[in-house]
Amino acid sequence: MSPPARRSALVTGGSRGIGAEIAARLAAEGYDLTIAARDPETLERTAARLRERGAGEVYPTVAAMNDLDQVRNLVRGHGERFGGMNVLVMSAGTGTAGRVADMAPKTYERMLDINFRAPLTLIQTALPLLRSSAAADPGRGAKIIALASITGVVGEPGLAAYGATKSALISLCETVSLEESRHGVAATALSPGYVDTDMTVWKHDVLDPAAMLTTADIAELALAVTRLSAAAVVPNIVVARAGDQLWRA
Ligand SMILES: NC(=O)c1ccc[n+]([C@@H]2O[C@H](COP(=O)([O-])OP(=O)(O)OC[C@H]3O[C@@H](n4cnc5c(N)ncnc54)[C@H](OP(=O)(O)O)[C@@H]3O)[C@@H](O)[C@H]2O)c1
């Protein structure tokens, strides 16, 4: 069977930061895109930039990841527009620092909602689309890429609940590959240290943004994953910052 003429990708958190950079790289590869986030103006601005960059269609969709009905509708909208899904990128995420001793339930519930419950629901809703796109493109299959964190691999003081939600996401990716790679669907977690985005502005007084990873570093790895054959499963890619702290964010 020949590969499909057009590929499509859904990118949550696609309006800014890592998600926007991955979306830009996918646009340049010719993908049709749905990008999702909460703020409509930022979404529209990013969509306009992506349209200049790629040949594919770009649909910005407002969807809050803490509302699971909005999460499901986001996936359904993508399926109705494009008839399948070759790549699902889950970049929407949130992090609040705090020690275990002091963490309020409302703070960790929010991280669980956005960093774990939403990705689980995204995957559950998208699997029929991913499977059908994988069947139409058996050489490459379909890919799920989840933005986890190095703090999900090794604990880091002050980032307990955030890291725990990312550990759950890494585990979810492993199991999805175990259950779905025979249908051509493989999931990969990307687990970087600090990346220079809006999310890390709070660190600027202790960590120079120039010492952080770049969104381009992460997008490069995401693109490589999308190009792998269906024979390959990459469970997790850890990306450390240069320096003497290999397993620290
Ligand atoms: N930056 C880092 O150092 C770093 C390191 C490791 C892992 N990560 C992970 O990488 C991912 C992307 O991070 P980033 O640095 O690119 O963050 P960012 O620059 O803050 O961008 C976050 C994106 O997610 C969207 N978003 C946030 N909360 C949302 C919600 N509740 N519902 C829907 N969309 C939401 C944002 O748009 P709206 O605000 O308009 O909704 C935006 O598009 C996250 O999962 C993060 O945990 C980041």
Side-chain angles (χ1 to χ4, degrees):
M1 200 183 292
S2 55
R6 302 191 69 80
R7 292 192 162 95
S8 76
L10 166 60
V11 184
T12 73
S15 67
R16 294 188 281 118
I18 297 167
E21 187 67 30
I22 295 174
R25 299 291 299 271
L26 291 170
E29 295 273 305
Y31 279 77
D32 291 322
L33 290 172
T34 301
I35 58 168
R38 291 164 303 175
D39 179 56
E41 282 163 23
T42 315
L43 262 178
E44 284 295 346
R45 271 200 303 277
T46 304
R49 277 205 308 277
L50 295 177
R51 286 186 195 111
E52 281 167 21
R53 230 177 131 145
E57 296 175 43
V58 183
Y59 279 86
T61 303
V62 172
M65 292 297 115
N66 50 319
D67 181 330
L68 296 184
D69 285 334
Q70 292 186 33
V71 171
R72 292 185 193 98
N73 286 337
L74 168 68
V75 174
R76 287 183 195 127
H78 182 95
E80 282 158 20
R81 272 190 298 281
F82 299 123
M85 188 187 294
N86 301 85
V87 176
L88 169 62
V89 178
M90 304 187 295
S91 191
T94 191
T96 304
R99 300 185 72 82
V100 175
D102 312 315
M103 179 128 313
K106 141 171 138 212
T107 308
Y108 63 71
E109 283 298 343
R110 190 165 157 272
M111 286 187 265
L112 273 170
D113 281 345
I114 295 158
N115 299 349
F116 179 67
R117 290 192 179 99
L120 178 56
T121 305
L122 282 162
I123 292 172
Q124 286 179 323
T125 318
L127 268 177
L129 295 171
L130 291 161
R131 284 180 187 156
S132 89
S133 290
D137 188 4
R140 217 187 261 204
K143 316 292 185 194
I144 297 168
I145 297 170
L147 266 299
S149 163
I150 202 166
T151 64
V153 180
V154 177
E156 174 135 343
L159 292 174
Y162 176 72
T165 62
K166 297 299 192 179
S167 283
L169 189 54
I170 292 165
S171 172
L172 177 65
C173 286
E174 283 185 8
T175 309
V176 166
S177 291
L178 288 168
E179 293 179 355
E180 295 295 329
S181 52
R182 72 198 147 95
H183 300 300
V185 181
T188 299
L190 297 178
S191 298
Y194 286 118
V195 183
D196 181 19
T197 68
D198 295 345
M199 197 182 216
T200 46
V201 170
W202 68 283
K203 288 294 287 187
H204 283 184
D205 48 347
V206 290
L207 183 61
D208 184 346
M212 295 185 189
L213 297 160
T214 69
T215 57
D217 293 324
I218 311 308
E220 188 67 28
L221 292 166
L223 251 288
V225 168
T226 67
R227 292 184 182 132
L228 296 174
S229 81
V233 172
V234 182
N236 187 15
I237 301 176
V238 178
V239 194
R241 291 186 298 108
D244 59 359
Q245 298 279 312
L246 203 56
W247 295 103
R248 285 283 163 268

